[in-house]
C-alpha cells in the first residue's frame, strides 16, 4: 500500500483527505483523534508515516488475534507502539497500566474506534464507529491504537513487552467475552441460595443474597470465576479442587492461581483450614495476582460457599475482579453486608448514636479504608474502631495490624499526630514496617482531615512461611520514635547524657545542623557523642579525633571520626596516616 504523498504536511492538511481513497480516509480519521493541544508536541509528517505503517498493518490484519508491534518511530527519540484489537471495554486502561508496570511514560495516545468493512479479506470501507451496529451489518468496530513511548533500543526488552501486551489483551478478551456468562452463573447461585436455605443465620442469608444482587447492579467488574469442590469437608484429609471446565474469564485456564498453594489444604495453617470448612456464606480477600485488566491493583476475591440440598458443604464459587468506584464511595450504611457490620459495631460499643462518641464512631466507620471494611471480621473491627475512638482524646502514634484470611497480606493502619507527619517520616514508617514483616508494600495511602491525627494505611505482601516474629508494642514504640523525629531523639539522648540545661544549650547550637543523609545512617548515641566533639572544638581544640568500635560492621571493626574547626581534611592526607 503506497502512502498518500503530501508535501509540506501539517495537522490541518492531514484531516482534509477524507473520500480521496481508503488510506486517505483512514489518515484523516486517525489524525482527527489527536487532541489539538498535542499537535505542537508531534511532527505531523512523522505522525503521517507512523500512521501509514499502521494502515498497512490494518489492511493485512487477521482479526482472530490482536496485532501488537513496537518500532522505532519517525518522531525523534521515541518508540511507537501500535495495536489492533476488536473494540472491547478496558483496552486502553489495561494497556496503559501494563506500560506503567514497565515504568514507561506515555507521550501520546491516539485511539479512534473505526467501523471496518471487508471484502475478500481486504478493507472495502472505513468510517468512525458511531456506537451502534445495524442489524445484518458485517462490519466490525476495531480499536486502532498508537502510543508514543520512550525509545526502546534493546530488542529483548521490546520482545518481552510485546509478549506481556499480548497476555494483557488475552485477559481483556477473556474477561469481556465471558462477562455475561459470569453474571449468569452468579444469578444461578442466588437462585440456589433462595431455593435451598443454607445452615446459617437468617440475617446472614438475607444480607448475602442482597449483597450478591448489589454486585450485579454494576458494582463489580467481573474478571474471572471458577468453582471449587470440597472433598471430605470437616475431615483431616479435606481437599479443595478446581471443578473441571468451571472456569470463566481469566480463570479459564486451570493453571491460573488465585491464592498460591490453596489446593494443598493440609499445608495451610489450621485456622485457615477451619475457615474453609465452616458454614459461612461469604468471604472477602485479595488475590496474589495484580489485575492486568482495567486497573493495576491486587484483585478482589469474593468466595461463596456452596451447599447441597441437604445443607452439606460441597464447594465454593470464587469470583475474582475489581469493585467499582461506588463500592468505595457509597456509604457503608447503604451496602449489604457492610451495613450489618456497621450496625454490629455501633451496637457493641454501647454509645449514644446522637452523642459525641456515637457520632465520632460512626464517622470512623464511614471513613474506614473500604477494602479493610469488606475484609475484616466484626469482632476485630469492633476492637480496632473502639481503640481509634479512644485516640481522639489522646493524640499519639498507634498501630493496628490485620492479617488477611489466607495470610498473604498484612494490613497496617498507623495513626500519627498530623504535625509530626512529613514525607520523610512517612517513608521511614513504611520502611520500618516492611522490615518488621519482611514484606513488600503494595498499597500506601494517607488521609488528612480536620482531625488532629493523620492516618496512614499500608498493605504488605508477605510470605506466611517466613513471617518473622514481632512484638506489637515494640513496633508501635519504634514508629513513635520515627514520628517524633530524629531531632527529638537527639534532644532526649543529650538530656540523658548531660542533663537538662547543658542538653538544651547543645541542642540549640547543633540540633538542626545535621543533614537527612546523616540522620538516616548515624545512630543517636553516636550523634550525641559527635555533638560533644563539636562543642569541644569551640572550647580549646581546633581538631578532634574519636576512635570507636563499629560492631554493626563486624567483629573487630573500628571507625575513626575526624572533626576539624577550620577546614575539611582531604582524604589523600588522612588515609596515608591511617
Amino acid at each position: 500500500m503506497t502512502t498518500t504523498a503530501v508535501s509540506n504536511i501539517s495537522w490541518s492538511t492531514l484531516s482534509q483527505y477524507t473520500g480521496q481513497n481508503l488510506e486517505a480516509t483512514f489518515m484523516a480519521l486517525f489524525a482527527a483523534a489527536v487532541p489539538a493541544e498535542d499537535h505542537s508536541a508531534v511532527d505531523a509528517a512523522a505522525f503521517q508515516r507512523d500512521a501509514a505503517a499502521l494502515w498497512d498493518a490494518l489492511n493485512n490484519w487477521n482479526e482472530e488475534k490482536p496485532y501488537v508491534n513496537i518500532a522505532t518511530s519517525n518522531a525523534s527519540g521515541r518508540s511507537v507502539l501500535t495495536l489492533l484489537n476488536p473494540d472491547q471495554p478496558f483496552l486502553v486502561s489495561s494497556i496503559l497500566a501494563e506500560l506503567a508496570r514497565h515504568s514507561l511514560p506515555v507521550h501520546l495516545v491516539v485511539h479512534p474506534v473505526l467501523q471496518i468493512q471487508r471484502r475478500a479479506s481486504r478493507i472495502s470501507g472505513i468510517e468512525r464507529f458511531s456506537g451502534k451496529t445495524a442489524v445484518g451489518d458485517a462490519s466490525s468496530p476495531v480499536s486502532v491504537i498508537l502510543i508514543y513511548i520512550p525509545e526502546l533500543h534493546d530488542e529483548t526488552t521490546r520482545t518481552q513487552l510485546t509478549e506481556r501486551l499480548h497476555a494483557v489483551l488475552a485477559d481483556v478478551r477473556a474477561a469481556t467475552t465471558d462477562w455475561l456468562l459470569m453474571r449468569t452463573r452468579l444469578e444461578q447461585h442466588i437462585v440456589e441460595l433462595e431455593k435451598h436455605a443454607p445452615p446459617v443465620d437468617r440475617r446472614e442469608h438475607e444480607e448475602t443474597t442482597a449483597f450478591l444482587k448489589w454486585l450485579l447492579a454494576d458494582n463489580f467488574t467481573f474478571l474471572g470465576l471458577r468453582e471449587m469442590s470440597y472433598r471430605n469437608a470437616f475431615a483431616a484429609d479435606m481437599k479443595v479442587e478446581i471443578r473441571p471446565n468451571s472456569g470463566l474469564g481469566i480463570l479459564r485456564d486451570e493453571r491460573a492461581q488465585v491464592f498460591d498453594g490453596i489446593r494443598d489444604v493440609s499445608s495451610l495453617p489450621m485456622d485457615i483450614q477451619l475457615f474453609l470448612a465452616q458454614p459461612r456464606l461469604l468471604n472477602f480477600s485479595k488475590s496474589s495476582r495484580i489485575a492486568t485488566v482495567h486497573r493495576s491493583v491486587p484483585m478482589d476475591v469474593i468466595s461463596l460457599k456452596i451447599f447441597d440440598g441437604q445443607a452439606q458443604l460441597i464447594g465454593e464459587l470464587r469470583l475474582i475482579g475489581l469493585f467499582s468506584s461506588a463500592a468505595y464511595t457509597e456509604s457503608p450504611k447503604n451496602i449489604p453486608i457492610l451495613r450489618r457490620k456497621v450496625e454490629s459495631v455501633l451496637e457493641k460499643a454501647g454509645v449514644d448514636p446522637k452523642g459525641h462518641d456515637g457520632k465520632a464512631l460512626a464517622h470512623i466507620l464511614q471513613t474506614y479504608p473500604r477494602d479493610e471494611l469488606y475484609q475484616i471480621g466484626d469482632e476485630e473491627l469492633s476492637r480496632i474502631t473502639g481503640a481509634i475512638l479512644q485516640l481522639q482524646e489522646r493524640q499519639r502514634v498507634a498501630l493496628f495490624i490485620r492479617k488477611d484470611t489466607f495470610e498473604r497480606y498484612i494490613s497496617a493502619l498507623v495513626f500519627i499526630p498530623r504535625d509530626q507527619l512529613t514525607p520523610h517520616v512517612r517513608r521511614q514508617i513504611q520502611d520500618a514496617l516492611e522490615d518488621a514483616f519482611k514484606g513488600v508494600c503494595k498499597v500506601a495511602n494517607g488521609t488528612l482531615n480536620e482531625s488532629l491525627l493523620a492516618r496512614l494505611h499500608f498493605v504488605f505482601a508477605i510470605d506466611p512461611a517466613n513471617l518473622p516474629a514481632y512484638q506489637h508494642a515494640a513496633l508501635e514504640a519504634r514508629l513513635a520514635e520515627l514520628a517524633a523525629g530524629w531531632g527529638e531523639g537527639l534532644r532526649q539522648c543529650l538530656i540523658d547524657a548531660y542533663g537538662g540545661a547543658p542538653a538544651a544549650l547543645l541542642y540549640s547550637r547543633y540540633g538542626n545542623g545535621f543533614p537527612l543523609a546523616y540522620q538516616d545512617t548515624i545512630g543517636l548515641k553516636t550523634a550525641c557523642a559527635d555533638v560533644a566533639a563539636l562543642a569541644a572544638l569551640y572550647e580549646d581544640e581546633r581538631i578532634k579525633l574519636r576512635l570507636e568500635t563499629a560492631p554493626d560492621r563486624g567483629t573487630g571493626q573500628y571507625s575513626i571520626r575526624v572533626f576539624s574547626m577550620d577546614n575539611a581534611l582531604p582524604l589523600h592526607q588522612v588515609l596515608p596516616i591511617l
Side-chain angles (χ1 to χ4, degrees), residues 249-292:
I250 64 173
L251 296 181
R252 288 178 185 174
D253 186 348
E254 293 189 2
R255 294 170 297 179
Q257 291 288 301
V258 177
F259 305 111
D260 297 335
I262 194 63
R263 298 183 193 185
D264 184 9
V265 177
S266 61
S267 67
L268 296 175
M270 183 54 65
D271 57 340
I272 297 180
Q273 296 185 45
L274 293 174
F275 165 77
L276 290 172
Q278 67 180 335
R280 180 177 172 183
L281 287 184
L282 181 66
N283 181 65
F284 302 95
S285 54
K286 287 288 186 180
S287 171
S288 306
R289 296 178 58 182
I290 300 295
T292 56

Side-chain angles (χ1 to χ4, degrees), residues 184-485:
T184 300
R185 179 62 189 92
L186 182 58
E187 290 168 349
Q188 293 172 349
H189 185 76
I190 294 173
V191 172
E192 293 166 4
L193 277 177
E194 293 176 333
K195 182 178 180 181
H196 302 291
V200 297
D201 175 78
R202 178 184 60 81
R203 181 90 185 274
E204 180 183 350
H205 182 203
E206 292 174 348
E207 282 291 284
T208 299
T209 303
F211 178 77
L212 298 183
K213 293 178 179 178
W214 179 83
L215 286 181
L216 290 169
D218 296 328
N219 289 308
F220 190 73
T221 300
F222 293 85
L223 301 182
L225 176 151
R226 71 164 43 134
E227 291 186 34
M228 311 297 293
S229 295
Y230 287 9
R231 292 173 51 196
N232 303 322
F234 303 105
D237 59 344
M238 175 182 173
K239 296 291 183 184
V240 177
E241 299 173 334
I242 296 174
R243 185 168 295 169
N245 303 318
S246 67
L248 295 172
I250 64 173
L251 296 181
R252 288 178 185 174
D253 186 348
E254 293 189 2
R255 294 170 297 179
Q257 291 288 301
V258 177
F259 305 111
D260 297 335
I262 194 63
R263 298 183 193 185
D264 184 9
V265 177
S266 61
S267 67
L268 296 175
M270 183 54 65
D271 57 340
I272 297 180
Q273 296 185 45
L274 293 174
F275 165 77
L276 290 172
Q278 67 180 335
R280 180 177 172 183
L281 287 184
L282 181 66
N283 181 65
F284 302 95
S285 54
K286 287 288 186 180
S287 171
S288 306
R289 296 178 58 182
I290 300 295
T292 56
V293 179
H294 193 26
R295 301 197 305 268
S296 184
V297 294
M299 288 183 286
D300 296 291
V301 183
I302 302 174
S303 302
L304 305 165
K305 295 293 178 60
I306 299 176
F307 298 86
D308 63 14
Q310 287 71 47
Q312 297 298 310
L313 178 61
I314 59 172
E316 173 187 328
L317 182 66
R318 187 170 292 166
L319 308 176
I320 185 169
L322 301 169
F323 280 111
S324 68
S325 58
Y328 294 95
T329 57
E330 182 78 16
S331 169
K333 294 182 179 180
N334 298 330
I335 300 176
I337 297 294
L338 297 191
R339 63 193 179 194
R340 185 186 179 193
K341 286 186 179 183
V342 169
E343 292 171 5
S344 175
V345 170
L346 292 172
E347 183 178 340
K348 288 178 181 178
V351 294
D352 179 3
K354 298 181 180 180
H356 175 272
D357 285 352
K359 292 180 179 179
L361 184 56
H363 179 72
I364 291 169
L365 290 164
Q366 175 74 28
T367 58
Y368 204 79
R370 189 56 56 90
D371 279 333
E372 288 297 293
L373 204 56
Y374 282 107
Q375 296 172 43
I376 196 170
D378 291 10
E379 293 296 330
E380 194 169 17
L381 181 62
S382 291
R383 176 181 61 81
I384 291 177
T385 52
I388 295 173
L389 181 62
Q390 294 177 1
L391 288 177
Q392 312 307 309
E393 301 176 356
R394 180 191 170 204
Q395 282 77 44
R396 66 177 181 86
V397 173
L399 169 67
F400 303 99
I401 297 171
R402 183 190 66 83
K403 290 182 186 177
D404 83 311
T405 301
F406 297 103
E407 297 191 352
R408 292 298 183 268
Y409 292 95
I410 282 183
S411 174
L413 280 177
V414 180
F415 288 84
I416 173 175
R418 60 183 301 164
D419 60 350
Q420 294 181 349
L421 181 61
T422 66
H424 183 64
V425 167
R426 192 210 66 80
R427 182 68 214 184
Q428 285 185 309
I429 288 175
Q430 178 179 325
D431 290 344
L433 293 173
E434 278 189 325
D435 183 63
F437 304 139
K438 292 297 182 285
V440 177
C441 186
K442 296 295 185 181
V443 174
N445 293 319
T447 300
L448 286 172
N449 50 37
E450 67 277 4
S451 170
L452 295 177
L453 289 173
R455 186 188 73 198
L456 302 175
H457 179 219
F458 303 99
V459 178
F460 301 94
I462 60 170
D463 179 358
N466 295 303
L467 179 64
Y470 61 87
Q471 294 295 324
H472 186 282
L475 186 54
E476 188 175 68
R478 173 59 181 149
L479 299 189
E481 290 179 4
L482 295 174

Side-chain angles (χ1 to χ4, degrees), residues 61-205:
W61 175 48
N62 180 349
E63 295 189 14
E64 292 183 0
K65 61 179 182 179
Y67 169 84
V68 179
N69 185 63
I70 303 174
T72 300
S73 171
N74 290 290
S76 176
R78 295 171 178 170
S79 285
V80 58
L81 167 62
T82 49
L83 306 98
L84 300 171
N85 199 82
D87 186 48
Q88 293 167 333
F90 312 131
L91 272 179
V92 173
S93 60
S94 302
I95 291 166
L96 295 181
E98 183 62 30
L99 294 177
R101 285 191 286 272
H102 289 263
S103 301
L104 290 172
V106 171
H107 300 305
L108 177 68
V109 178
V110 187
H111 173 224
V113 179
L114 303 179
Q115 192 83 23
I116 306 294
Q117 295 90 33
R118 291 183 182 270
R119 184 179 297 114
S121 300
R122 305 296 289 178
I123 295 177
S124 58
I126 185 169
E127 60 184 346
R128 180 173 294 280
F129 180 52
S130 64
K132 297 180 180 179
T133 302
V135 177
D137 190 349
S139 63
S140 58
V142 175
S143 279
V144 183
I145 304 172
L146 181 149
I147 303 176
Y148 286 132
I149 58 177
E151 189 165 1
L152 303 178
H153 299 282
D154 182 60
E155 183 177 352
T156 300
T157 300
R158 292 196 300 269
T159 300
Q160 291 175 344
L161 178 58
T162 300
E163 291 174 350
R164 283 299 311 143
L165 288 169
H166 273 293
V168 167
L169 294 177
D171 285 347
V172 170
R173 180 172 293 197
T176 56
T177 300
D178 287 352
W179 173 77
L180 184 57
L181 292 174
M182 290 186 278
R183 288 179 56 89
T184 300
R185 179 62 189 92
L186 182 58
E187 290 168 349
Q188 293 172 349
H189 185 76
I190 294 173
V191 172
E192 293 166 4
L193 277 177
E194 293 176 333
K195 182 178 180 181
H196 302 291
V200 297
D201 175 78
R202 178 184 60 81
R203 181 90 185 274
E204 180 183 350
H205 182 203

